[in-house]
Amino acid sequence: VSEQFRFVLFYDTGMVYGTNEKWFSTDLVRSTGLEMRFSLPIFQAPLRLMWVYRLDKTPLDEKGGEPDFSIGTTF
């Protein structure tokens, strides 16, 4: 949109494994969403507002969308 504001569509797949769990199993969780990144002079790091929608149920039987907020760069 401009240098200060950017919109990003994303798709993500992954899983967090504990020490007693088998790694690299096929139990991956997928999500998609919309992210708005913007920079304000008062903060010296980018701000990120996201709406994440889980496509698969998690072990806690959660499914649906939720907001998220982050400050800083991604890796």
Side-chain angles (χ1 to χ4, degrees), residues 15-25 27 59:
M15 179 57 83
V16 175
Y17 298 99
T19 57
N20 297 331
E21 293 179 293
K22 181 179 175 185
W23 288 23
F24 305 111
S25 68
D27 298 336

Side-chain angles (χ1 to χ4, degrees), residues 1-59:
V1 175
S2 73
E3 280 296 314
Q4 284 187 312
F5 295 96
R6 294 181 186 209
F7 289 96
V8 178
L9 294 172
F10 64 88
Y11 174 81
D12 187 34
T13 301
M15 179 57 83
V16 175
Y17 298 99
T19 57
N20 297 331
E21 293 179 293
K22 181 179 175 185
W23 288 23
F24 305 111
S25 68
T26 58
D27 298 336
L28 298 177
V29 178
R30 301 173 300 141
S31 64
T32 189
L34 174 66
E35 176 180 340
M36 184 177 81
R37 297 178 185 175
F38 55 98
S39 298
L40 298 175
I42 196 165
F43 298 108
Q44 296 300 313
L47 301 171
R48 301 167 56 213
L49 298 173
M50 296 161 270
W51 179 261
V52 180
Y53 185 80
R54 287 182 295 280
L55 299 171
D56 299 314
K57 288 186 178 183
T58 64

